[in-house]
Structure formats: structure tokens, C-alpha cells
Amino acid sequence: MNPLRIGNFSGFYGDRSAALREMLTGGELDVLTGDYLAELTMLILARDRLKDPGAGYARTFLRQLEDCLGLVRERGVRIVTNAGGLNPAGLAARIDESARKLGIPLSVAQVTGDDLTAAHPGALAAHAYLGGFGIAECLRAGADIVVTGRVTDAALVTGPAAAHFGWGPGQYDELAGAVVAGHVLECGTQATGGNYAFFREGDVRRPGFPLAEIHADGSSVITKHPGTGGFVDVGTVTAQLLYETGGARYPGPDVTARLDSVRLRRDGPDRVRIEGVRGEAPPPTLKVGVNRLGGFRNEVVFVLTGLDIEAKAELVRGQLTDHLATSPPAEVRWELVRTDRPDAGTEETASALLRLVVRDPDQRVVGRALSGAAVELALASYPGFHVAAPPGKGDPYGTFEDAYVPQDAVDHTAVLPGGRVRPVPPPPGTRPLRAVPPPPLPEPLPPGPARRAPLGTVAGARSGDKGGNANVGVWVRTDEAWRWLAHELTVERFRELLPESRELPVTRHVLPGLRALNFVVEGILGAGVAARHRFDPQAKALGEWLRSRRLDIPEVLL
């Protein structure tokens, strides 16, 4: 049987608008997937729905699709996307309406059952992460376009693969292979050189979007359309495999994929083969993402220029601390960012930033805390006083938390073309999720001369967020470097290099098949990205900070 060619045209809500057309016209494809639903996106869509009950889906997808409906029909490519968000029925109706107006015969189906908001009082949105078999039912019934609510990102690939190859719920190895391919595709151009540690090794000014050639046994080849930008190699695929993952077991609604079984090898220019993936029964519960309104936040950034930076910061901090004491917000955070340089050639490079953030359940408190007080200091504080922008009244912020429900607690439903409804049963078997025992480490490198250098000289990294936690995947490209990294980058050394993690739980996972270590730092992101707890709220650059830190590296690796 020929492989199933599945491409991606979106990795987030706001991705390249031309990508759908580029993928449809750039080469042969069977299915195109679009991923829109990050944790923050669900909160954005929930707030949209508060203003308009008919909203709640990714409007940008509808515009992309309307421009390409004729091409979709002409090329015979099926579209599968979670752009339905909180309102898949609304999006499906709009697509159907657009196709009829244009006289383009396309059938539309949808997947529902993920919305559990009613069971979580006070939540703006609470949605279970569904698997791929609802999508498979829609495609088997002849749907040209399938829109879903909250499914796992990888389900956009496992569903079409299960439909095409006839996989059943118990074919865990095949499903796990598709999960791994789906995880590589889900973030779009991150698999083709985007956000890549070794980006200078190729032209990544406009990376092409990735595609996977999936085979009946679950193995796949990751590649891209000929002539598109970026590049695909073992490193770009490794980086994406480590993104937003934890240990060796990668759980999902349909299968738990064993990341420690993954084997990668070059299969030609811009082609990487993924094989050997093993799967196990999924866990007995489904993850539910719960988004709530956390309160209100306000901030002001004071610009401190030239001499006496620390003293200037102390002065304004003392002035505002006295003011805040009269009506104290629930949370007050100061952060001095030393962007200044001595004897700088421009005023901007001579300046540091002092950031004050306040939070409180009451918008009036955060508004009063900063708006008047910060402005009143304009002529009565440190020399050179000015702010990056005047503070406002305060904006709402969200929080994200995980909950779990039994697999059979959701009404996973495929709404087929024409409106027929088909229930999707829970998996026939489950297995509680347990950590994999640490694998044996390789023999360490023999002693020899070392030189102080950044970790990134020999190692790549990619980091990301899962709720309030962050993961940092670190990998190397040779067996010799792996022999060093596996022994050198312990949890203790990781905490030493990233002081923000010193007081937090840190877990190290070892993946020898990828020559990789994956660190999970619990709580570093507070209540999740929507809470904007830290400077880099999604931990996107945490890995690059780690790569910039210096340590003693054996000269044989340098």
C-alpha cells in the first residue's frame, strides 16, 4: 500500500496565512492538517464567545479556506483541523455555507464531545483532549473537511492514518508511530528549521511547512515540498520530538507512545525516517484543560539610564512601595533587567529596565496601584525618569490547570456529512501511566583537557510549556558528545546553570536513542502562559538560555 502523505499548514492561531495555498500547490498530498489550539488560544476563544455566542472558532482558518476551496476540490486533498475550537458546529456550518455559495461540492463533518465546561463551575472553558477515532469515522464516511474541537494535536494525524490503513483501537505500535509523526508535524515549520538551535546550517528565512509519508506499519518519513525553504534533518526532527514532552512514555487518548523506542535516520536530502516506535494501551483517564479568569494585572516599566542604576531602582521602588501600602494588591513583583552597557554609544544601550507587575482580583486595585502613582513620580523621582509606556487600568489574565476524567466520561461523537451522528467508544483497554526506569548510561569519556565554553557549542535544545511547567530537551549529535552530556548535565548541574529552577522540582528523563535528556521544571510558569508569570511566559527561550551558559567541555568535543 502506498504511504499516506499528510501535510501541515498551521502550527498555531496566527500562523502564516498563505501556508494552506502553498501546501496545496507545492506538491502531492492526501491530507492537510491545521493545528490552532494552544492552551492560551482556548482562553482567547472563550473570551471571544463571551462577546459573541456564535464565535469561539479560529476565524483566520475560515478566511484561509474560503480562498482555497476550489483548490481543495481540484486537488482532492482532505482537510482536518481543530480550528473549530469551542464551536466546531458553528465553523462547520460556515464552511458548508461558503462551499454552497461558491458552487463547490464539498462535504463537511465535525467531531464533538470535548466540552466539559458545565462540569467545572467558574471556568471560562474546560475541554477534554479527544483522540483520533472520531476524525477517522468522519473520513471513512466520505468527509472532505473535518473540523474538531479540542483533540490532541497528534490526533489530527492519527485519525486520517487510522481511516486510511484501517487501524483499529488496539493496534498500538501503528498508532504510536502516527502519534510521533503527528507530534513532529503539529508545530508546522519547527520541523523544517524554524526556532532551531543550529539555524545557521540552512536558509530558514521562510521555511516550508512539513509533511509526513506514513506507512501501514506506522513508520514515516518527515520531509517537505521540493523547492521550499528551510531544511529537514535528524536534528530538526529530534528538536521537535522533545518539544513539550516529558518522560519516555508519551500518553494520549488512543495510545501511549514510547519515545525511548524512536529511531531516526537520514533517508535522503530533506528526508528523515522515523521507525521502531512502540505503543502501549492508553491511560484510563483523559486530560481536561481548564481555563479560568485569574484576576487582573497591570504593569509599568521604568527606564533607568546611565549611572547609579541600582540606586535609581531602589529609589523608585521605595517610593512606590509606600504608595502601594495604602491599598496593597494581592501580588507585587519587581524585576530589574540589566540591559545597560558601560560607556554606551546610544541612549538605549545605556538603559536598564525596572519592571513592576501587580495582580489582584479587583481591577480597580491594580488600576489605582499604578496609574496615578507612577505618573505622579514623573518630576519627583530618579534623574532621567521615564517609562516605556504609561500604565492602564489593568487587563484580565487567565489561569490554566489540568484535570482528568475517566475515558468513558465524555460523549466523543462524529457528526458525519449530512448530520448523521455516530458515537465513538472509549478504547477497549487502558494501562495506568507509570514512569520508565532510568536506562543505563553510556561509558563516560576518559579524562582529558577541557575548555570553558557555552553548552550550545556542542548541544542543541528546545523548550516549551505545559500549563505551569516547562520542559527543556537537550540533545547532541555524536556518540562521544552523548557520553559526556549524559554524565555532565545532571539535575544538580541543570539547577546550577538555570538558577530560576533551584527551588523548584526538576525531573530528568534520559532518551539514549535520541542522544537526549529532557528536563521538566515544575511550577516555573506559575498558573500557565495566560497568567504571564515570568518574562518568557511560555518558556520558549529557556533552552537557549541554557545553551548560552558556560561549563567545562572536553576539548575532543570542541
Side-chain angles (χ1 to χ4, degrees):
M1 183 180 287
N2 290 332
L4 180 69
R5 292 173 61 87
I6 302 181
N8 172 280
F9 66 87
S10 175
F12 69 101
Y13 192 11
D15 210 342
R16 187 188 307 169
S17 60
L20 179 55
R21 177 173 290 275
E22 290 173 7
M23 290 300 285
L24 285 168
T25 59
E28 294 298 316
L29 285 171
D30 301 302
V31 178
L32 260 177
T33 64
D35 181 14
Y36 290 80
L37 300 185
E39 293 169 359
L40 179 60
T41 309
M42 298 298 282
L43 180 66
I44 293 170
L45 295 178
R47 292 179 62 184
D48 286 349
R49 192 172 59 174
L50 287 176
K51 301 172 187 174
D52 176 6
Y57 55 81
R59 300 171 190 262
T60 54
F61 167 71
L62 186 61
R63 293 195 292 269
Q64 286 174 290
L65 185 64
E66 287 174 339
D67 183 52
C68 295
L69 279 171
L71 270 175
V72 171
R73 174 68 179 176
E74 176 189 327
R75 297 300 175 101
V77 176
R78 299 169 113 177
I79 307 295
V80 179
T81 178
N82 59 17
L86 279 61
N87 187 7
L91 178 58
R94 291 291 305 276
I95 295 170
D96 198 49
E97 178 186 344
S98 296
R100 285 201 311 271
K101 282 183 179 178
L102 294 170
I104 300 171
L106 289 170
S107 59
V108 185
Q110 56 176 292
V111 175
T112 65
D114 58 299
D115 191 349
L116 302 181
T117 306
H120 294 267
L124 290 178
H127 291 254
Y129 289 70
L130 302 180
F133 280 101
I135 295 170
E137 289 287 351
C138 294
L139 293 172
R140 286 169 179 153
D144 299 301
I145 300 170
V146 181
V147 297
T148 78
R150 177 76 274 185
V151 297
T152 65
D153 301 341
L156 301 177
V157 170
T158 60
H164 181 77
F165 295 115
W167 296 339
Q171 291 181 254
Y172 297 133
D173 289 347
E174 292 89 341
L175 289 167
V179 163
V180 169
H183 183 58
V184 174
L185 294 188
E186 71 186 49
C187 289
T189 52
Q190 280 196 171
T192 57
N195 299 353
Y196 181 53
F198 303 111
F199 66 95
R200 291 186 294 177
E201 295 180 355
D203 184 353
V204 295
R205 289 173 295 177
R206 190 178 173 86
F209 278 68
L211 64 95
E213 300 168 356
I214 300 181
H215 295 263
D217 64 354
S219 64
S220 63
V221 173
I222 306 298
T223 184
K224 62 187 184 70
H225 282 327
T228 56
F231 59 102
V232 178
D233 65 15
V234 170
T236 65
V237 174
T238 299
Q240 182 55 29
L241 276 176
L242 295 171
Y243 183 62
E244 295 181 347
T245 59
R249 286 191 167 103
Y250 185 61
D254 302 320
V255 65
T256 293
R258 290 291 297 259
L259 298 183
D260 55 349
S261 66
V262 176
R263 296 295 180 268
L264 305 177
R265 62 179 174 89
R266 187 174 183 270
D267 195 55
D270 290 316
R271 293 174 62 84
V272 173
R273 182 171 293 277
I274 302 176
E275 54 195 357
V277 185
R278 296 291 174 256
E280 300 169 346
T285 57
L286 293 177
K287 176 181 171 181
V288 181
V290 183
N291 289 274
R292 302 182 187 275
L293 179 64
F296 296 86
R297 75 186 293 280
N298 203 355
E299 74 171 84
V300 61
V301 179
F302 300 93
V303 183
L304 315 174
T305 304
L307 303 177
D308 305 318
I309 295 295
E310 299 281 351
K312 289 172 179 173
E314 184 180 355
L315 172 59
V316 72
R317 192 158 43 220
Q319 291 174 309
L320 274 174
T321 297
D322 290 342
H323 175 84
L324 295 176
T326 62
S327 181
E331 181 183 347
V332 178
R333 294 187 63 181
W334 292 91
E335 185 175 14
L336 177 60
V337 184
R338 295 300 300 264
T339 52
D340 56 304
R341 304 174 193 169
D343 195 23
T346 66
E347 182 178 334
E348 187 171 4
T349 57
S351 300
L353 304 176
L354 178 64
R355 183 168 173 251
L356 169 61
V357 177
V358 295
R359 302 174 191 268
D360 197 87
D362 188 339
Q363 185 178 23
R364 292 169 299 178
V365 171
V366 300
R368 284 196 304 265
L370 291 187
S371 297
V375 173
E376 289 172 5
L377 291 177
L379 303 179
S381 190
Y382 59 87
F385 180 100
H386 66 287
V387 296
K393 296 180 179 178
D395 298 317
Y397 70 90
T399 64
F400 178 90
E401 62 188 51
D402 294 342
Y404 293 87
V405 297
Q407 286 261 14
D408 60 3
V410 299
D411 297 320
H412 189 176
T413 304
V415 183
L416 308 180
R420 290 174 295 140
V421 174
R422 185 166 297 168
V424 180
T430 62
R431 174 177 177 171
L433 193 65
R434 294 187 177 91
V436 174
L441 299 181
E443 286 293 319
L445 283 181
R451 190 163 74 242
R452 200 80 175 165
L455 175 62
T457 308
V458 297
R462 178 162 287 164
S463 55
D465 64 312
K466 280 294 182 186
N469 302 338
N471 92 288
V472 184
V474 185
W475 81 96
V476 289
R477 300 192 279 187
T478 67
D479 290 339
E480 290 76 14
W482 172 238
R483 291 172 63 188
W484 171 76
L485 183 75
H487 293 275
E488 175 65 23
L489 197 55
T490 61
V491 168
E492 292 72 21
R493 181 55 57 88
F494 181 91
R495 286 190 169 122
E496 176 187 321
L497 296 174
L498 299 187
E500 274 189 76
S501 67
R502 284 179 181 167
E503 304 302 321
L504 299 172
V506 177
T507 305
R508 183 178 102 147
H509 302 282
V510 181
L511 299 169
L514 300 175
R515 300 193 193 97
L517 303 171
N518 198 17
F519 294 88
V520 177
V521 186
E522 297 179 34
I524 193 171
L525 302 178
V529 54
R532 290 181 284 173
H533 177 76
R534 67 189 295 273
F535 168 69
D536 174 18
Q538 289 180 284
K540 295 292 189 183
L542 197 60
E544 285 301 293
W545 179 26
L546 179 65
R547 292 183 70 236
S548 74
R549 298 308 307 270
R550 293 176 174 267
L551 66 172
D552 292 330
I553 299 176
E555 287 192 354
V556 294
L557 303 180
L558 298 173

